[in-house]
Amino acid sequence: MILALARASLVRQRARTLLAVVGVAISAAMLLDMVMLASGMRVSFGSLLLAQGFQIRLAPKGTLPFDTDATIPDASGIVQRLRARSDVIAVSPVLGAQLHVEHGTASVSAAALGTIAAVQGDYKLLEGELPAQDEEIAANDALLAAVGAHIGDTLRVAAGFDPQLRAYTGQRALRIVGRAHFIYLSAGERAMALPLATLQSMEGSSRTDRASLLMVRLRAGADVEAARAAIERDVRTVSAISTATAIEQVEQRLSYFRQLAFILGTVSLAVGFLLVTTLVTVSVNERLGEIAVLRAIGVRRVRIVEQILIEGSAIMLVGAFLGLGLGLVTARYLNSILAAFPGLPEAIDFFLFQPRDAWVALGLLAGCGILAGVYPAWRGASLPIAATLREEAVA
Amino acid sequence: MTAALLLIAALSVATQGIDSLPPRHSPRTVAIDERLAQDAGFRIGDTLVLAATPGGAGDTVIVSALVRRSRDPSEVAKGAYRIRVHLDALQPLVGYGDRVERFAVATRGAAGADSARRAIDEAAFGFRAYSSHEIAVESSTTFLVVSRFHRAIGVITIVASAVFLLCIMLLKVDERRRDVAALRLMGISARTIVRSVVLESALIATLGSVAGVGLGALVSAFVNWHYQRVYRTPLTFSLVTGEIVAIAVVLSLGLGLGAGWLAAQRLVRRPPLSLFGR
Amino acid sequence: MTGDEILVAARDLRRDYAMSAGVVHAVRGVTLDVRAREYVAIVGPSGCGKSTLLNLIGAIDAPSSGTLAIAGQRLDGLPDRDATLFRLRRIGFVFQRFYLMPVLTALENVELPMSEAGLGKTERRTRARELLAYVGLGERLHHRPTELSGGEQQRVAIARALANKPALLLADEPTGELDARTGEEMIALFERLNTDGTTIIVVTHDEDLARAAHRVVHMRDGLIVDDRRR
Ligand SMILES: Nc1ncnc2c1ncn2[C@@H]1O[C@H](COP(=O)(O)OP(=O)(O)O)[C@@H](O)[C@H]1O
Ligand SMILES: [Mg+2]
């Protein structure tokens, strides 16, 4: 009966109930998006970092992986030292460089990763073989498309130019043996992988036995933080970064988005709350007489409170469900905008849907829906019956 | 750039006891990032040893100036410190010989820039000339993406506020249904009523947008203050321009007029007597 | 005059309203006993405190001082919870302006107090039908208040007031909004109710309605100035 009354009062003002639902849906969509934004980067970056099972990354002292052009000296010595540790099962040294691929009269530049194919964790082979032998490469689709090459072709690749000699330096003929997808590169970035030694020798003396990054995979169950600290103590030329720290550092840099998510999320919640409170308050004000009559014929206060809270929550919930759908659509759209972020791995999602997000958004909205009804419900439940009826009679 | 960045690594371990290059006549001067000065406690006049690699051979220099980062968007999120070193001092330090990474070329006017670029690209092997504009576009991609993102969010916000405004106006006219019914029975024309509702709504929207502009200016000031501190940069992050204010006011005025008109239709579409009922 | 027990016992009942312009003494010391099965009309000039007294008896307002007991239950100082439950189970209220729930049908309006009292769906539906038939509205069960005439609405309101078999039926100007003929029908209905055993207190300045009652209480300036049985 009380439910029927709550429903009836929503249906009675169809236009504005509908509008409020739409308003709440938009707020809810925004809220969901912001909840997704707040945690999406962390989660997708974390899973990206752990995708290949390397828990620790060693970068030149004081830098973040690939943040600068600095390199780590004595890479092979460090690899050996790390391998000797009982908790380490694999070490993957990586050297990054920019190479120039001859293409007709011009050249196409591409990111190059020098790795040891057997332990590398930077790319996934899609087709062909791993570039394990000297002068073999695996290229990604963007590079293959840019130079119109296929597996089996040979590319002329240079490490740089010498303006004085007017010639390429570190030039080699490299054979494409595989097609690969590079996990940490951004979409559309041209890239190739080649044996570490090949790249080091192409780059010349400045890169002899150097690596930009060393990735370390620990034995299952090993204490990551303890290993990290020990490595940093042991190898003075590197900063050892655990996945957690790396995520934290990325988050710090992109903290703007989390703060934005927090602020916009709060604002959307507040807007939804205001909308529903206003609506329910006005609707209760219009029905003060009815409520007084209900009270006069013996309807308990809790019933009045119930009715009003149901009204607010119903708007919120219906709006929220619509909003969750809408939110997923807008999140995809917003994500596609941010995907163009320069230098960000393709696989990073700013907006990542997790069921938990939907629950959080729904919970917040439901809480707000109930809160929105609190003031009008209190007003409705505590009104003086006789005086209200009298005023109603005068009006 | 590479070399300058290499120095970061060096500096973090640049303590006494590192071998210096054979001293030249007198120590050269360097200018350091004010953030570095702040973080490491360096002051003008301090003597430092710069080395290309941690523990490598270094060069003794004197801090002669502190520099603030330029308002370059591409540098905002970078944590690296910068040190300005005399070119001829840096080259031997990093073993670069007589090399540089880039030249900045000043030209006469925009046309001059184009012809100079073409000439350089044709003449020089291993060079590529870029216009400052190209570089600016390249380095501000991040901000273009962010501003595209902001625009999308802005559109959502506008839709939400339009719904909100319409809702408020509906509530307002519903509240006055009886009064309006009485007015109409008294012979006040529907047009007058629509006009007054629209006027009111426009007024609300205008007041709201004025308050919004004020709030926006405050928030913007806060955002700048906050992010300039977080990223330690003089870059302006949020700018409330006249154009933006105008767009905001015009937009909310438009929304206000629309919402008012729609809400007023509820009052004048129905026969006055039916407005009395609940 | 019957030998039934005292249902309403008011002693020196007062109700003051503190207004910004000063205190209004709406009821200024009313002592009144009403026995079960009585049919009492309270009359008097407008503003003399009739409605206020009725509201006190109906437990929708609380006295400033004095004592009030209905069917042995003290109402003065009763917490809201108990007062509400008391209204639900023991009091039936009929208002001048009917005050039906506009969104509910006639049947649902009558069912409402029974639903609140926890009666099962079929039980209350059956009883609501019986009650509406009793007040002469057996045909219009599914109409909403706006689709009913004033007289019909007041009948629904009376059926609603009787829903939980109240000990006492209170009516404030029940014919005030009705035309003379409908008013007469209402008077007849009240008489029938009383004959069937309902105790009724009605506030009115409708002479015919007052004449139908067995006892007429005259009020003036918040006091009872005359009380006679016929
Ligand atoms: N809620 C109230 N606030 C202030 N004054 C009231 C209130 N209710 C009644 N009164 C005053 O009390 C007096 C009695 O009112 P009421 O009982 O309604 O009279 P009646 O029903 O006899 O016409 C009047 O003077 C009225 O103005
Ligand atoms: Mg009265």
Side-chain angles (χ1 to χ4, degrees):
Chain A
M1 209 83 287
I2 291 298
L3 256 176
L5 277 176
R7 207 202 56 212
S9 78
L10 287 175
V11 172
R12 182 157 43 167
Q13 299 290 353
R14 208 163 300 140
R16 69 195 199 198
T17 303
L18 215 71
L19 261 180
V21 166
V22 171
V24 170
I26 297 175
S27 309
M30 191 76 143
L31 179 66
L32 176 69
D33 288 355
M34 292 306 126
V35 173
M36 283 165 71
L37 179 61
S39 62
M41 256 176 330
R42 161 177 281 271
V43 173
S44 72
F45 192 68
S47 61
L48 190 64
L49 285 182
L50 288 173
Q52 304 297 313
F54 292 96
Q55 298 101 323
I56 298 177
R57 284 163 173 75
L58 309 184
K61 189 103 196 157
T63 70
L64 294 177
F66 286 116
D67 195 34
T68 69
D69 294 339
T71 50
I72 304 167
D74 185 26
S76 56
I78 295 174
V79 169
Q80 243 156 43
R81 243 149 84 202
L82 292 174
R83 283 249 183 78
R85 295 178 56 92
S86 63
D87 51 357
V88 170
I89 51 174
V91 182
S92 169
V94 186
L95 177 64
Q98 198 71 20
L99 294 182
H100 308 274
V101 182
E102 265 184 67
H103 181 52
T105 53
S107 75
V108 169
S109 69
L113 292 180
T115 58
I116 293 170
V119 290
Q120 67 80 25
D122 283 87
Y123 60 90
K124 282 201 175 113
L125 195 68
L126 302 175
E127 195 185 340
E129 284 163 32
L130 289 169
Q133 305 298 319
D134 190 27
E135 312 213 320
E136 283 184 348
I137 62 166
N140 71 355
D141 290 333
L143 176 58
L144 291 176
V147 297
H150 303 277
I151 293 182
D153 293 352
T154 298
L155 301 177
R156 293 200 60 80
V157 181
F161 305 104
D162 190 321
Q164 256 137 35
L165 298 176
R166 298 191 138 241
Y168 284 109
T169 57
Q171 198 169 31
R172 295 287 189 90
L174 303 178
R175 199 163 62 83
I176 305 170
V177 296
R179 190 164 68 84
H181 168 73
F182 289 80
I183 300 165
Y184 300 108
L185 295 186
S186 54
E189 194 174 346
R190 293 183 293 269
M192 67 179 97
L194 64 171
L196 177 62
T198 307
L199 186 59
Q200 283 170 341
S201 80
M202 284 171 75
E203 289 285 309
S205 61
S206 70
R207 291 292 184 266
T208 306
D209 200 20
R210 280 175 177 267
S212 309
L213 174 73
L214 293 160
M215 301 202 289
V216 179
R217 188 185 295 147
L218 298 178
R219 189 167 37 72
D223 182 344
V224 176
E225 184 46 39
R228 190 202 68 79
I231 290 172
E232 205 165 57
R233 245 179 289 122
D234 188 28
V235 186
R236 295 305 211 152
T237 49
V238 301
S239 290
I241 299 149
S242 65
T243 308
T245 321
I247 292 173
E248 213 169 274
Q249 266 156 346
V250 165
E251 279 214 325
Q252 222 166 38
R253 288 198 176 186
L254 297 177
S255 66
Y256 169 72
F257 288 99
R258 247 188 350 185
Q259 287 160 357
L260 184 82
F262 179 76
I263 291 169
L264 284 184
T266 313
V267 169
S268 358
L269 205 57
V271 167
F273 173 77
L274 268 180
L275 197 59
V276 176
T277 318
T278 315
L279 191 89
V280 176
T281 305
V282 170
S283 133
V284 165
N285 280 345
E286 282 173 352
R287 284 181 297 147
L288 286 181
E290 271 172 49
I291 293 170
V293 172
L294 284 175
R295 297 276 291 121
I297 64 172
V299 173
R300 283 169 296 161
R301 274 184 171 155
V302 282
R303 288 314 182 114
I304 307 291
V305 170
E306 248 170 58
Q307 188 193 332
I308 296 168
L309 291 187
I310 286 174
E311 217 179 302
S313 311
I315 294 177
M316 269 293 190
L317 279 183
V318 174
F321 275 109
L322 291 178
L324 293 189
L326 186 66
L328 289 180
V329 176
T330 46
R332 282 185 73 153
Y333 169 61
L334 294 174
N335 199 45
S336 74
I337 293 178
L338 290 184
F341 230 98
L344 212 61
E346 191 179 358
I348 290 272
D349 281 318
F350 279 81
F351 296 85
L352 190 69
F353 179 77
Q354 299 159 273
R356 205 198 57 133
D357 293 341
W359 288 118
V360 167
L362 213 58
L364 284 171
L365 286 165
C368 260
I370 292 172
L371 271 182
V374 165
Y375 168 71
W378 171 80
R379 229 181 106 80
S382 64
L383 56 88
I385 304 166
T388 307
L389 286 176
R390 189 184 175 81
E391 275 159 27
E392 188 73 358
V394 172
Chain B
M1 182 160 90
T2 320
L5 288 167
L6 271 171
L7 290 170
I8 306 147
L11 261 167
S12 53
V13 291
T15 46
Q16 273 78 25
I18 292 177
D19 299 285
S20 291
L21 293 174
R24 269 187 308 258
H25 1 100
S26 65
R28 301 295 302 268
T29 53
V30 295
I32 63 170
D33 204 321
E34 65 173 351
R35 297 173 306 146
L36 172 60
Q38 231 169 50
D39 296 349
F42 296 153
R43 269 179 297 177
I44 291 181
D46 283 359
T47 304
L48 306 176
V49 176
L50 297 184
T53 52
D59 191 3
T60 305
V61 294
I62 291 175
V63 177
S64 67
L66 300 185
V67 290
R68 175 164 298 165
R69 290 209 285 182
S70 63
R71 303 183 168 213
D72 183 351
S74 64
E75 305 240 313
V76 160
K78 294 226 168 85
Y81 303 122
R82 291 294 178 91
I83 296 180
R84 315 272 155 186
V85 184
H86 295 285
L87 181 63
D88 58 344
L90 183 60
Q91 283 169 333
L93 186 63
V94 294
Y96 244 47
D98 181 23
R99 292 183 183 206
V100 293
E101 292 205 319
R102 60 170 181 248
F103 293 103
V105 180
T107 57
R108 282 201 188 80
D114 274 347
S115 59
R117 260 181 69 192
R118 237 172 295 121
I120 293 171
D121 277 342
E122 277 163 19
F125 177 80
F127 284 12
R128 176 130 157 60
Y130 298 91
S131 71
S132 301
H133 176 73
E134 279 171 335
I135 303 218
V137 166
E138 179 74 28
S139 63
S140 58
T141 327
T142 309
F143 287 77
L144 284 181
V145 170
V146 171
S147 80
R148 227 175 291 147
F149 175 67
H150 284 168
R151 205 164 313 142
I153 296 233
V155 170
I156 298 176
T157 314
I158 289 167
V159 174
S161 47
V163 171
F164 196 87
L165 191 59
L166 190 54
C167 218
I168 298 287
M169 280 319 291
L170 274 189
L171 291 177
K172 291 213 79 143
V173 298
D174 274 359
E175 221 171 50
R176 270 171 306 167
R177 220 172 23 188
R178 285 153 199 259
D179 304 345
V180 169
L183 286 177
R184 284 193 56 200
L185 288 178
M186 272 165 56
I188 306 286
S189 77
R191 263 184 67 184
T192 312
I193 285 162
V194 171
R195 208 179 301 151
S196 78
V197 171
V198 168
L199 197 73
E200 177 182 338
S201 159
L203 208 69
I204 292 178
T206 310
L207 283 179
S209 67
V210 167
V213 166
L215 190 68
L218 272 180
V219 169
S220 161
F222 174 77
V223 162
N224 282 330
W225 173 79
H226 177 71
Y227 287 105
Q228 280 172 358
R229 247 185 14 156
V230 167
Y231 293 120
R232 300 208 268 180
T233 167
L235 193 73
T236 307
F237 287 80
S238 160
L239 207 57
V240 179
T241 62
E243 189 192 3
I244 289 173
V245 169
I247 289 176
V249 172
V250 167
L251 202 67
S252 51
L253 198 64
L255 287 179
L257 293 175
W261 187 82
L262 275 175
Q265 293 311 303
R266 242 169 112 78
L267 289 180
V268 296
R269 281 278 173 80
R270 288 163 64 186
L273 271 178
S274 81
L275 291 174
F276 278 113
R278 279 192 171 272
Chain C
M1 190 94 249
T2 65
D4 283 317
E5 86 274 23
I6 289 177
L7 191 63
V8 179
R11 296 286 172 276
D12 197 24
L13 219 47
R14 289 165 193 273
R15 179 66 169 99
D16 306 326
Y17 293 105
M19 308 294 289
S20 52
V23 180
V24 176
H25 303 281
V27 171
R28 309 200 290 169
V30 166
T31 296
L32 175 73
D33 282 339
V34 177
R35 288 172 185 278
R37 306 174 75 88
E38 262 193 301
Y39 183 177
V40 183
I42 301 176
V43 298
S46 182
C48 70
K50 308 183 293 291
S51 297
T52 304
L53 178 59
L54 199 71
N55 290 344
L56 292 176
I57 295 172
I60 64 175
D61 197 2
S64 307
S65 69
T67 64
L68 174 65
I70 294 178
Q73 163 88 59
R74 280 286 290 269
L75 290 190
D76 47 296
L78 199 63
D80 180 82
R81 253 177 106 80
D82 303 332
T84 306
L85 204 64
F86 179 81
R87 288 198 296 272
L88 180 68
R89 300 193 175 282
R90 313 307 302 269
I91 305 284
F93 234 114
V94 176
F95 305 94
Q96 176 172 357
R97 292 193 164 181
F98 333 131
Y99 289 150
L100 299 174
M101 292 296 120
V103 293
L104 301 180
T105 62
L107 196 65
E108 288 166 341
N109 263 292
V110 180
E111 278 181 54
L112 185 60
M114 293 187 268
S115 142
E116 179 67 12
L119 235 62
K121 178 116 188 153
T122 40
E123 208 179 338
R124 64 181 196 233
R125 184 129 292 188
T126 317
R127 181 160 164 75
R129 279 173 198 280
E130 282 170 12
L131 282 168
L132 283 169
Y134 180 79
V135 297
L137 268 185
E139 313 291 277
R140 328 226 37 187
L141 302 178
H142 301 294
H143 290 244
R144 286 178 201 280
T146 44
E147 299 154 4
L148 297 173
S149 73
E152 287 164 340
Q153 287 186 53
Q154 196 59 299
R155 283 165 198 272
V156 177
I158 290 168
R160 178 179 71 181
L162 298 173
N164 285 329
K165 303 184 180 138
L168 184 59
L169 182 68
L170 303 176
D172 193 346
E173 313 264 12
T175 57
E177 296 266 309
L178 305 177
D179 59 67
R181 248 201 59 205
T182 326
E184 271 166 35
E185 286 170 20
M186 213 51 59
I187 292 167
L189 180 55
F190 273 101
E191 271 197 273
R192 181 148 62 92
L193 282 172
N194 180 242
T195 317
D196 292 348
T198 311
T199 312
I200 300 175
I201 302 178
V202 57
V203 162
T204 187
H205 50 233
D206 178 343
E207 307 252 314
D208 295 332
L209 180 55
R211 214 174 299 124
H214 305 152
R215 178 180 167 192
V216 179
V217 173
H218 283 266
M219 285 185 72
R220 184 164 301 148
D221 289 339
L223 288 169
I224 294 179
V225 291
D226 187 37
D227 182 353
R228 67 181 66 172
R229 292 186 166 82
R230 282 182 293 137

